[in-house]
Amino acid sequence: MRKLHGLARSGRIAGITALALLLGVTISFLLPERHTITVNGLGQPITFATTKPELGAALADYGLSVGTHDSVEPPVSTPLAGQRDWQVSIRPAIPVHLTVAGEERTVETSALTVQDMLTELQIELGDKDLLSVPLDSVVSAGMRVLLTRRSEQTITSREEVPYQTLKREDATLRIGETSVVQEGAPGVLEVIRKVYLENGEEVKSELLEEKIITPPIDQVVAYGTLGVVSRGGEEYRYTAELELTATGYTAGKESNPDGNGYTYTGMKAVRGVVAVDPRVIPLYTRLYIEGYGPAIAADIGGAIQGNRIDLCFDSVSEALEWGIRPVKVYVLSD
């Protein structure tokens, strides 16, 4: 009996032990898992215990607010189950003043370098873009970063080439009259330029090539050289008007002791024949002389040089009466 009693007691002890083990296992399943989290990057390391199942919830429960742009490693969505101790690194975002292609904005970033920040913001650099700081610059609070977008374009354009106006004398037109002989037309010039742009604005251009596609056509305008004077019912057309000094002479010995009554050109010296300087008025030029009348340049004289003219009269008294006076001379058209 004692033996059986001892066996019964041993069985009870084993049962109690098994029950305790079962209860311990059950309690371990029922109690939440505890984790120890050490946070670095916020000054002094911060260590705390948590039973939260996810890192983000654990940080929030402890009172650590994580901003949208803060860097957390491992990520806040990391589940904590299965690991007791966790090392967490937090790098808070800082403000950076960023200007891209003339548009300024302030961004919050936790990037370590400018290159990382641009990658984070999905900003790509072109081959010719200009950055105000090196890409490996360490990002700091309040930093200013200027990105200038630069590009080049080859532009072909067409420009108008203005025509010239050429003037031409026309002895059939009166002085003051004009006539368009040929209408002018502008030409076309093809211009190829390389244009340098910054933020979409042209800052410089370089001429590569110019080529005339259509040459301009000059405009030709005739202007009148024909003047008209009316004297004594007669109309005289002239092409030039001169201001000369006029004297008078006769065909007799009183004007030329060695003369024979004939002029240098062989014409008989009579009224209407005048002596000129051929450098001013060519010989055989038809003239109209105010106060004297129509005449022809058919003689020369040693004293008739430059803007002088000598008028032949039929009598000495007429020549003396004329004397020396300024006179207007019209060169008549043929």
Side-chain angles (χ1 to χ4, degrees), residues 248-284:
Y249 78 99
T250 64
K253 299 292 184 180
E254 62 277 1
S255 293
N256 185 1
D258 298 325
N260 57 7
Y262 288 88
T263 65
Y264 174 80
T265 61
M267 286 187 178
K268 188 174 178 60
V270 295
R271 183 183 176 89
V273 174
V274 297
V276 297
D277 183 344
R279 294 171 300 178
V280 179
I281 299 176
L283 291 171
Y284 301 106

PDB file of all heavy atoms in Angstrom, residues 248-284:
ATOM      1  N   GLY A 248      30.860 141.692-122.875  1.00  0.00           N
ATOM      2  CA  GLY A 248      30.436 141.796-124.268  1.00  0.00           C
ATOM      3  C   GLY A 248      31.612 142.090-125.193  1.00  0.00           C
ATOM      4  O   GLY A 248      32.591 142.716-124.796  1.00  0.00           O
ATOM      5  N   TYR A 249      31.536 141.612-126.441  1.00  0.00           N
ATOM      6  CA  TYR A 249      32.565 141.923-127.443  1.00  0.00           C
ATOM      7  C   TYR A 249      31.899 142.014-128.807  1.00  0.00           C
ATOM      8  O   TYR A 249      30.730 141.647-128.976  1.00  0.00           O
ATOM      9  CB  TYR A 249      33.673 140.861-127.421  1.00  0.00           C
ATOM     10  CG  TYR A 249      33.327 139.544-128.111  1.00  0.00           C
ATOM     11  CD1 TYR A 249      33.771 139.298-129.422  1.00  0.00           C
ATOM     12  CD2 TYR A 249      32.547 138.564-127.472  1.00  0.00           C
ATOM     13  CE1 TYR A 249      33.469 138.087-130.048  1.00  0.00           C
ATOM     14  CE2 TYR A 249      32.242 137.379-128.088  1.00  0.00           C
ATOM     15  CZ  TYR A 249      32.713 137.142-129.384  1.00  0.00           C
ATOM     16  OH  TYR A 249      32.405 135.969-130.017  1.00  0.00           O
ATOM     17  N   THR A 250      32.689 142.504-129.798  1.00  0.00           N
ATOM     18  CA  THR A 250      32.209 142.598-131.187  1.00  0.00           C
ATOM     19  C   THR A 250      33.190 141.880-132.096  1.00  0.00           C
ATOM     20  O   THR A 250      34.298 141.517-131.672  1.00  0.00           O
ATOM     21  CB  THR A 250      32.076 144.053-131.641  1.00  0.00           C
ATOM     22  OG1 THR A 250      33.374 144.639-131.649  1.00  0.00           O
ATOM     23  CG2 THR A 250      31.138 144.829-130.726  1.00  0.00           C
ATOM     24  N   ALA A 251      32.790 141.692-133.345  1.00  0.00           N
ATOM     25  CA  ALA A 251      33.669 141.009-134.296  1.00  0.00           C
ATOM     26  C   ALA A 251      34.722 141.926-134.871  1.00  0.00           C
ATOM     27  O   ALA A 251      35.636 141.490-135.578  1.00  0.00           O
ATOM     28  CB  ALA A 251      32.834 140.415-135.424  1.00  0.00           C
ATOM     29  N   GLY A 252      34.660 143.213-134.559  1.00  0.00           N
ATOM     30  CA  GLY A 252      35.592 144.170-135.153  1.00  0.00           C
ATOM     31  C   GLY A 252      36.936 144.213-134.450  1.00  0.00           C
ATOM     32  O   GLY A 252      37.186 143.550-133.438  1.00  0.00           O
ATOM     33  N   LYS A 253      37.816 145.098-135.028  1.00  0.00           N
ATOM     34  CA  LYS A 253      39.168 145.252-134.503  1.00  0.00           C
ATOM     35  C   LYS A 253      39.171 145.821-133.082  1.00  0.00           C
ATOM     36  O   LYS A 253      40.135 145.663-132.357  1.00  0.00           O
ATOM     37  CB  LYS A 253      39.967 146.175-135.432  1.00  0.00           C
ATOM     38  CG  LYS A 253      40.116 145.650-136.862  1.00  0.00           C
ATOM     39  CD  LYS A 253      40.997 144.409-136.896  1.00  0.00           C
ATOM     40  CE  LYS A 253      41.218 143.948-138.362  1.00  0.00           C
ATOM     41  NZ  LYS A 253      42.057 142.746-138.419  1.00  0.00           N
ATOM     42  N   GLU A 254      38.081 146.522-132.732  1.00  0.00           N
ATOM     43  CA  GLU A 254      38.051 147.142-131.411  1.00  0.00           C
ATOM     44  C   GLU A 254      38.056 146.087-130.294  1.00  0.00           C
ATOM     45  O   GLU A 254      38.492 146.354-129.173  1.00  0.00           O
ATOM     46  CB  GLU A 254      36.809 148.037-131.256  1.00  0.00           C
ATOM     47  CG  GLU A 254      35.481 147.333-131.365  1.00  0.00           C
ATOM     48  CD  GLU A 254      35.024 147.143-132.817  1.00  0.00           C
ATOM     49  OE1 GLU A 254      35.764 147.549-133.744  1.00  0.00           O
ATOM     50  OE2 GLU A 254      33.928 146.598-132.996  1.00  0.00           O
ATOM     51  N   SER A 255      37.566 144.884-130.613  1.00  0.00           N
ATOM     52  CA  SER A 255      37.581 143.819-129.610  1.00  0.00           C
ATOM     53  C   SER A 255      38.770 142.889-129.801  1.00  0.00           C
ATOM     54  O   SER A 255      39.326 142.367-128.830  1.00  0.00           O
ATOM     55  CB  SER A 255      36.283 143.002-129.681  1.00  0.00           C
ATOM     56  OG  SER A 255      35.175 143.765-129.288  1.00  0.00           O
ATOM     57  N   ASN A 256      39.161 142.706-131.027  1.00  0.00           N
ATOM     58  CA  ASN A 256      40.286 141.804-131.297  1.00  0.00           C
ATOM     59  C   ASN A 256      41.058 142.346-132.499  1.00  0.00           C
ATOM     60  O   ASN A 256      40.682 142.092-133.646  1.00  0.00           O
ATOM     61  CB  ASN A 256      39.765 140.390-131.593  1.00  0.00           C
ATOM     62  CG  ASN A 256      40.902 139.385-131.771  1.00  0.00           C
ATOM     63  OD1 ASN A 256      42.082 139.735-131.656  1.00  0.00           O
ATOM     64  ND2 ASN A 256      40.544 138.150-132.092  1.00  0.00           N
ATOM     65  N   PRO A 257      42.145 143.111-132.244  1.00  0.00           N
ATOM     66  CA  PRO A 257      42.894 143.744-133.353  1.00  0.00           C
ATOM     67  C   PRO A 257      43.392 142.748-134.373  1.00  0.00           C
ATOM     68  O   PRO A 257      43.521 143.084-135.558  1.00  0.00           O
ATOM     69  CB  PRO A 257      44.043 144.437-132.624  1.00  0.00           C
ATOM     70  CG  PRO A 257      43.550 144.657-131.237  1.00  0.00           C
ATOM     71  CD  PRO A 257      42.682 143.484-130.936  1.00  0.00           C
ATOM     72  N   ASP A 258      43.656 141.522-133.923  1.00  0.00           N
ATOM     73  CA  ASP A 258      44.181 140.521-134.859  1.00  0.00           C
ATOM     74  C   ASP A 258      43.088 139.631-135.414  1.00  0.00           C
ATOM     75  O   ASP A 258      43.363 138.673-136.158  1.00  0.00           O
ATOM     76  CB  ASP A 258      45.228 139.631-134.145  1.00  0.00           C
ATOM     77  CG  ASP A 258      46.427 140.445-133.673  1.00  0.00           C
ATOM     78  OD1 ASP A 258      46.797 141.397-134.368  1.00  0.00           O
ATOM     79  OD2 ASP A 258      46.975 140.122-132.596  1.00  0.00           O
ATOM     80  N   GLY A 259      41.849 139.922-135.098  1.00  0.00           N
ATOM     81  CA  GLY A 259      40.754 139.063-135.506  1.00  0.00           C
ATOM     82  C   GLY A 259      40.359 139.266-136.950  1.00  0.00           C
ATOM     83  O   GLY A 259      40.669 140.285-137.572  1.00  0.00           O
ATOM     84  N   ASN A 260      39.667 138.266-137.474  1.00  0.00           N
ATOM     85  CA  ASN A 260      39.198 138.326-138.859  1.00  0.00           C
ATOM     86  C   ASN A 260      37.685 138.215-138.961  1.00  0.00           C
ATOM     87  O   ASN A 260      37.141 138.014-140.051  1.00  0.00           O
ATOM     88  CB  ASN A 260      39.847 137.212-139.683  1.00  0.00           C
ATOM     89  CG  ASN A 260      39.574 135.822-139.108  1.00  0.00           C
ATOM     90  OD1 ASN A 260      38.782 135.686-138.166  1.00  0.00           O
ATOM     91  ND2 ASN A 260      40.221 134.814-139.653  1.00  0.00           N
ATOM     92  N   GLY A 261      37.021 138.296-137.789  1.00  0.00           N
ATOM     93  CA  GLY A 261      35.558 138.232-137.775  1.00  0.00           C
ATOM     94  C   GLY A 261      35.011 136.833-137.627  1.00  0.00           C
ATOM     95  O   GLY A 261      33.785 136.657-137.674  1.00  0.00           O
ATOM     96  N   TYR A 262      35.917 135.868-137.463  1.00  0.00           N
ATOM     97  CA  TYR A 262      35.467 134.480-137.302  1.00  0.00           C
ATOM     98  C   TYR A 262      35.906 133.946-135.919  1.00  0.00           C
ATOM     99  O   TYR A 262      36.918 134.386-135.364  1.00  0.00           O
ATOM    100  CB  TYR A 262      36.007 133.585-138.410  1.00  0.00           C
ATOM    101  CG  TYR A 262      35.336 133.851-139.736  1.00  0.00           C
ATOM    102  CD1 TYR A 262      35.832 134.820-140.595  1.00  0.00           C
ATOM    103  CD2 TYR A 262      34.186 133.133-140.103  1.00  0.00           C
ATOM    104  CE1 TYR A 262      35.212 135.087-141.804  1.00  0.00           C
ATOM    105  CE2 TYR A 262      33.567 133.401-141.323  1.00  0.00           C
ATOM    106  CZ  TYR A 262      34.075 134.356-142.164  1.00  0.00           C
ATOM    107  OH  TYR A 262      33.455 134.624-143.349  1.00  0.00           O
ATOM    108  N   THR A 263      35.173 132.962-135.441  1.00  0.00           N
ATOM    109  CA  THR A 263      35.446 132.415-134.101  1.00  0.00           C
ATOM    110  C   THR A 263      36.443 131.278-134.167  1.00  0.00           C
ATOM    111  O   THR A 263      36.859 130.838-135.251  1.00  0.00           O
ATOM    112  CB  THR A 263      34.154 131.892-133.463  1.00  0.00           C
ATOM    113  OG1 THR A 263      33.670 130.781-134.241  1.00  0.00           O
ATOM    114  CG2 THR A 263      33.085 132.961-133.432  1.00  0.00           C
ATOM    115  N   TYR A 264      36.778 130.750-132.982  1.00  0.00           N
ATOM    116  CA  TYR A 264      37.727 129.637-132.865  1.00  0.00           C
ATOM    117  C   TYR A 264      37.215 128.419-133.610  1.00  0.00           C
ATOM    118  O   TYR A 264      37.987 127.654-134.194  1.00  0.00           O
ATOM    119  CB  TYR A 264      37.932 129.312-131.372  1.00  0.00           C
ATOM    120  CG  TYR A 264      38.774 128.102-131.106  1.00  0.00           C
ATOM    121  CD1 TYR A 264      40.168 128.180-131.166  1.00  0.00           C
ATOM    122  CD2 TYR A 264      38.186 126.872-130.774  1.00  0.00           C
ATOM    123  CE1 TYR A 264      40.951 127.059-130.917  1.00  0.00           C
ATOM    124  CE2 TYR A 264      38.960 125.754-130.528  1.00  0.00           C
ATOM    125  CZ  TYR A 264      40.336 125.851-130.593  1.00  0.00           C
ATOM    126  OH  TYR A 264      41.120 124.752-130.362  1.00  0.00           O
ATOM    127  N   THR A 265      35.899 128.221-133.674  1.00  0.00           N
ATOM    128  CA  THR A 265      35.324 127.048-134.340  1.00  0.00           C
ATOM    129  C   THR A 265      35.079 127.292-135.815  1.00  0.00           C
ATOM    130  O   THR A 265      34.634 126.390-136.528  1.00  0.00           O
ATOM    131  CB  THR A 265      33.986 126.664-133.679  1.00  0.00           C
ATOM    132  OG1 THR A 265      33.072 127.752-133.810  1.00  0.00           O
ATOM    133  CG2 THR A 265      34.190 126.300-132.221  1.00  0.00           C
ATOM    134  N   GLY A 266      35.346 128.498-136.288  1.00  0.00           N
ATOM    135  CA  GLY A 266      35.144 128.812-137.697  1.00  0.00           C
ATOM    136  C   GLY A 266      33.838 129.483-137.992  1.00  0.00           C
ATOM    137  O   GLY A 266      33.572 129.883-139.145  1.00  0.00           O
ATOM    138  N   MET A 267      32.994 129.644-136.979  1.00  0.00           N
ATOM    139  CA  MET A 267      31.727 130.344-137.181  1.00  0.00           C
ATOM    140  C   MET A 267      31.989 131.835-137.288  1.00  0.00           C
ATOM    141  O   MET A 267      32.941 132.352-136.685  1.00  0.00           O
ATOM    142  CB  MET A 267      30.766 130.072-136.009  1.00  0.00           C
ATOM    143  CG  MET A 267      30.151 128.700-136.006  1.00  0.00           C
ATOM    144  SD  MET A 267      28.898 128.601-134.681  1.00  0.00           S
ATOM    145  CE  MET A 267      28.314 126.953-134.934  1.00  0.00           C
ATOM    146  N   LYS A 268      31.124 132.518-138.001  1.00  0.00           N
ATOM    147  CA  LYS A 268      31.212 133.971-138.097  1.00  0.00           C
ATOM    148  C   LYS A 268      30.769 134.571-136.775  1.00  0.00           C
ATOM    149  O   LYS A 268      29.809 134.129-136.159  1.00  0.00           O
ATOM    150  CB  LYS A 268      30.316 134.477-139.235  1.00  0.00           C
ATOM    151  CG  LYS A 268      30.482 135.939-139.535  1.00  0.00           C
ATOM    152  CD  LYS A 268      29.681 136.318-140.760  1.00  0.00           C
ATOM    153  CE  LYS A 268      29.793 137.790-141.063  1.00  0.00           C
ATOM    154  NZ  LYS A 268      31.162 138.250-141.318  1.00  0.00           N
ATOM    155  N   ALA A 269      31.534 135.520-136.288  1.00  0.00           N
ATOM    156  CA  ALA A 269      31.227 136.163-135.005  1.00  0.00           C
ATOM    157  C   ALA A 269      30.083 137.135-135.186  1.00  0.00           C
ATOM    158  O   ALA A 269      30.262 138.235-135.730  1.00  0.00           O
ATOM    159  CB  ALA A 269      32.466 136.865-134.457  1.00  0.00           C
ATOM    160  N   VAL A 270      28.910 136.746-134.762  1.00  0.00           N
ATOM    161  CA  VAL A 270      27.710 137.578-134.826  1.00  0.00           C
ATOM    162  C   VAL A 270      26.973 137.434-133.509  1.00  0.00           C
ATOM    163  O   VAL A 270      27.315 136.598-132.656  1.00  0.00           O
ATOM    164  CB  VAL A 270      26.797 137.163-135.988  1.00  0.00           C
ATOM    165  CG1 VAL A 270      27.459 137.412-137.341  1.00  0.00           C
ATOM    166  CG2 VAL A 270      26.389 135.702-135.855  1.00  0.00           C
ATOM    167  N   ARG A 271      25.957 138.259-133.344  1.00  0.00           N
ATOM    168  CA  ARG A 271      25.156 138.141-132.120  1.00  0.00           C
ATOM    169  C   ARG A 271      24.609 136.720-132.020  1.00  0.00           C
ATOM    170  O   ARG A 271      24.124 136.147-132.993  1.00  0.00           O
ATOM    171  CB  ARG A 271      24.009 139.140-132.121  1.00  0.00           C
ATOM    172  CG  ARG A 271      23.176 139.106-130.834  1.00  0.00           C
ATOM    173  CD  ARG A 271      21.994 140.054-130.900  1.00  0.00           C
ATOM    174  NE  ARG A 271      21.182 139.938-129.710  1.00  0.00           N
ATOM    175  CZ  ARG A 271      21.352 140.629-128.602  1.00  0.00           C
ATOM    176  NH1 ARG A 271      22.306 141.570-128.566  1.00  0.00           N
ATOM    177  NH2 ARG A 271      20.575 140.437-127.558  1.00  0.00           N
ATOM    178  N   GLY A 272      24.680 136.148-130.817  1.00  0.00           N
ATOM    179  CA  GLY A 272      24.215 134.771-130.602  1.00  0.00           C
ATOM    180  C   GLY A 272      25.368 133.792-130.508  1.00  0.00           C
ATOM    181  O   GLY A 272      25.160 132.626-130.145  1.00  0.00           O
ATOM    182  N   VAL A 273      26.591 134.301-130.843  1.00  0.00           N
ATOM    183  CA  VAL A 273      27.780 133.450-130.693  1.00  0.00           C
ATOM    184  C   VAL A 273      28.533 133.940-129.458  1.00  0.00           C
ATOM    185  O   VAL A 273      28.767 135.142-129.311  1.00  0.00           O
ATOM    186  CB  VAL A 273      28.677 133.517-131.942  1.00  0.00           C
ATOM    187  CG1 VAL A 273      29.977 132.756-131.710  1.00  0.00           C
ATOM    188  CG2 VAL A 273      27.932 132.978-133.160  1.00  0.00           C
ATOM    189  N   VAL A 274      28.918 132.990-128.575  1.00  0.00           N
ATOM    190  CA  VAL A 274      29.573 133.396-127.326  1.00  0.00           C
ATOM    191  C   VAL A 274      30.856 132.616-127.127  1.00  0.00           C
ATOM    192  O   VAL A 274      31.034 131.499-127.644  1.00  0.00           O
ATOM    193  CB  VAL A 274      28.643 133.184-126.126  1.00  0.00           C
ATOM    194  CG1 VAL A 274      27.389 134.056-126.245  1.00  0.00           C
ATOM    195  CG2 VAL A 274      28.239 131.714-125.980  1.00  0.00           C
ATOM    196  N   ALA A 275      31.763 133.229-126.381  1.00  0.00           N
ATOM    197  CA  ALA A 275      33.036 132.604-126.049  1.00  0.00           C
ATOM    198  C   ALA A 275      32.940 132.035-124.626  1.00  0.00           C
ATOM    199  O   ALA A 275      32.430 132.694-123.720  1.00  0.00           O
ATOM    200  CB  ALA A 275      34.168 133.612-126.149  1.00  0.00           C
ATOM    201  N   VAL A 276      33.455 130.797-124.420  1.00  0.00           N
ATOM    202  CA  VAL A 276      33.354 130.116-123.128  1.00  0.00           C
ATOM    203  C   VAL A 276      34.679 129.449-122.785  1.00  0.00           C
ATOM    204  O   VAL A 276      35.586 129.352-123.629  1.00  0.00           O
ATOM    205  CB  VAL A 276      32.249 129.034-123.171  1.00  0.00           C
ATOM    206  CG1 VAL A 276      30.882 129.646-123.413  1.00  0.00           C
ATOM    207  CG2 VAL A 276      32.562 127.975-124.237  1.00  0.00           C
ATOM    208  N   ASP A 277      34.765 128.989-121.548  1.00  0.00           N
ATOM    209  CA  ASP A 277      35.856 128.100-121.146  1.00  0.00           C
ATOM    210  C   ASP A 277      35.356 126.684-121.386  1.00  0.00           C
ATOM    211  O   ASP A 277      34.419 126.229-120.722  1.00  0.00           O
ATOM    212  CB  ASP A 277      36.184 128.311-119.668  1.00  0.00           C
ATOM    213  CG  ASP A 277      37.366 127.460-119.211  1.00  0.00           C
ATOM    214  OD1 ASP A 277      37.730 126.510-119.920  1.00  0.00           O
ATOM    215  OD2 ASP A 277      37.906 127.739-118.120  1.00  0.00           O
ATOM    216  N   PRO A 278      35.945 125.939-122.351  1.00  0.00           N
ATOM    217  CA  PRO A 278      35.425 124.606-122.693  1.00  0.00           C
ATOM    218  C   PRO A 278      35.422 123.630-121.521  1.00  0.00           C
ATOM    219  O   PRO A 278      34.723 122.612-121.559  1.00  0.00           O
ATOM    220  CB  PRO A 278      36.363 124.138-123.807  1.00  0.00           C
ATOM    221  CG  PRO A 278      36.929 125.394-124.382  1.00  0.00           C
ATOM    222  CD  PRO A 278      37.055 126.340-123.210  1.00  0.00           C
ATOM    223  N   ARG A 279      36.223 123.926-120.482  1.00  0.00           N
ATOM    224  CA  ARG A 279      36.209 123.049-119.316  1.00  0.00           C
ATOM    225  C   ARG A 279      34.908 123.199-118.511  1.00  0.00           C
ATOM    226  O   ARG A 279      34.545 122.323-117.727  1.00  0.00           O
ATOM    227  CB  ARG A 279      37.413 123.351-118.417  1.00  0.00           C
ATOM    228  CG  ARG A 279      38.763 123.009-119.064  1.00  0.00           C
ATOM    229  CD  ARG A 279      39.896 123.536-118.215  1.00  0.00           C
ATOM    230  NE  ARG A 279      39.809 124.997-118.067  1.00  0.00           N
ATOM    231  CZ  ARG A 279      40.666 125.718-117.339  1.00  0.00           C
ATOM    232  NH1 ARG A 279      41.648 125.117-116.682  1.00  0.00           N
ATOM    233  NH2 ARG A 279      40.523 127.031-117.248  1.00  0.00           N
ATOM    234  N   VAL A 280      34.240 124.360-118.690  1.00  0.00           N
ATOM    235  CA  VAL A 280      32.983 124.616-118.000  1.00  0.00           C
ATOM    236  C   VAL A 280      31.803 124.343-118.913  1.00  0.00           C
ATOM    237  O   VAL A 280      30.841 123.662-118.535  1.00  0.00           O
ATOM    238  CB  VAL A 280      32.932 126.062-117.470  1.00  0.00           C
ATOM    239  CG1 VAL A 280      31.602 126.341-116.771  1.00  0.00           C
ATOM    240  CG2 VAL A 280      34.104 126.316-116.520  1.00  0.00           C
ATOM    241  N   ILE A 281      31.869 124.864-120.138  1.00  0.00           N
ATOM    242  CA  ILE A 281      30.809 124.656-121.128  1.00  0.00           C
ATOM    243  C   ILE A 281      31.464 124.143-122.411  1.00  0.00           C
ATOM    244  O   ILE A 281      32.279 124.843-123.019  1.00  0.00           O
ATOM    245  CB  ILE A 281      30.054 125.967-121.422  1.00  0.00           C
ATOM    246  CG1 ILE A 281      29.392 126.496-120.144  1.00  0.00           C
ATOM    247  CG2 ILE A 281      28.998 125.744-122.505  1.00  0.00           C
ATOM    248  CD1 ILE A 281      28.703 127.841-120.323  1.00  0.00           C
ATOM    249  N   PRO A 282      31.150 122.943-122.809  1.00  0.00           N
ATOM    250  CA  PRO A 282      31.744 122.417-124.040  1.00  0.00           C
ATOM    251  C   PRO A 282      31.358 123.260-125.255  1.00  0.00           C
ATOM    252  O   PRO A 282      30.271 123.843-125.305  1.00  0.00           O
ATOM    253  CB  PRO A 282      31.159 121.007-124.129  1.00  0.00           C
ATOM    254  CG  PRO A 282      30.725 120.666-122.736  1.00  0.00           C
ATOM    255  CD  PRO A 282      30.299 121.959-122.136  1.00  0.00           C
ATOM    256  N   LEU A 283      32.270 123.335-126.223  1.00  0.00           N
ATOM    257  CA  LEU A 283      31.981 124.041-127.478  1.00  0.00           C
ATOM    258  C   LEU A 283      30.801 123.391-128.187  1.00  0.00           C
ATOM    259  O   LEU A 283      30.575 122.192-128.076  1.00  0.00           O
ATOM    260  CB  LEU A 283      33.216 124.037-128.369  1.00  0.00           C
ATOM    261  CG  LEU A 283      34.381 124.907-127.868  1.00  0.00           C
ATOM    262  CD1 LEU A 283      35.624 124.664-128.710  1.00  0.00           C
ATOM    263  CD2 LEU A 283      34.009 126.383-127.832  1.00  0.00           C
ATOM    264  N   TYR A 284      30.078 124.215-128.896  1.00  0.00           N
ATOM    265  CA  TYR A 284      28.888 123.829-129.648  1.00  0.00           C
ATOM    266  C   TYR A 284      27.669 123.564-128.748  1.00  0.00           C
ATOM    267  O   TYR A 284      26.642 123.082-129.228  1.00  0.00           O
ATOM    268  CB  TYR A 284      29.139 122.596-130.529  1.00  0.00           C
ATOM    269  CG  TYR A 284      30.246 122.797-131.529  1.00  0.00           C
ATOM    270  CD1 TYR A 284      31.469 122.183-131.330  1.00  0.00           C
ATOM    271  CD2 TYR A 284      30.074 123.610-132.653  1.00  0.00           C
ATOM    272  CE1 TYR A 284      32.507 122.358-132.233  1.00  0.00           C
ATOM    273  CE2 TYR A 284      31.107 123.801-133.568  1.00  0.00           C
ATOM    274  CZ  TYR A 284      32.324 123.177-133.341  1.00  0.00           C
ATOM    275  OH  TYR A 284      33.351 123.368-134.235  1.00  0.00           O
TER     276      TYR A 284
END
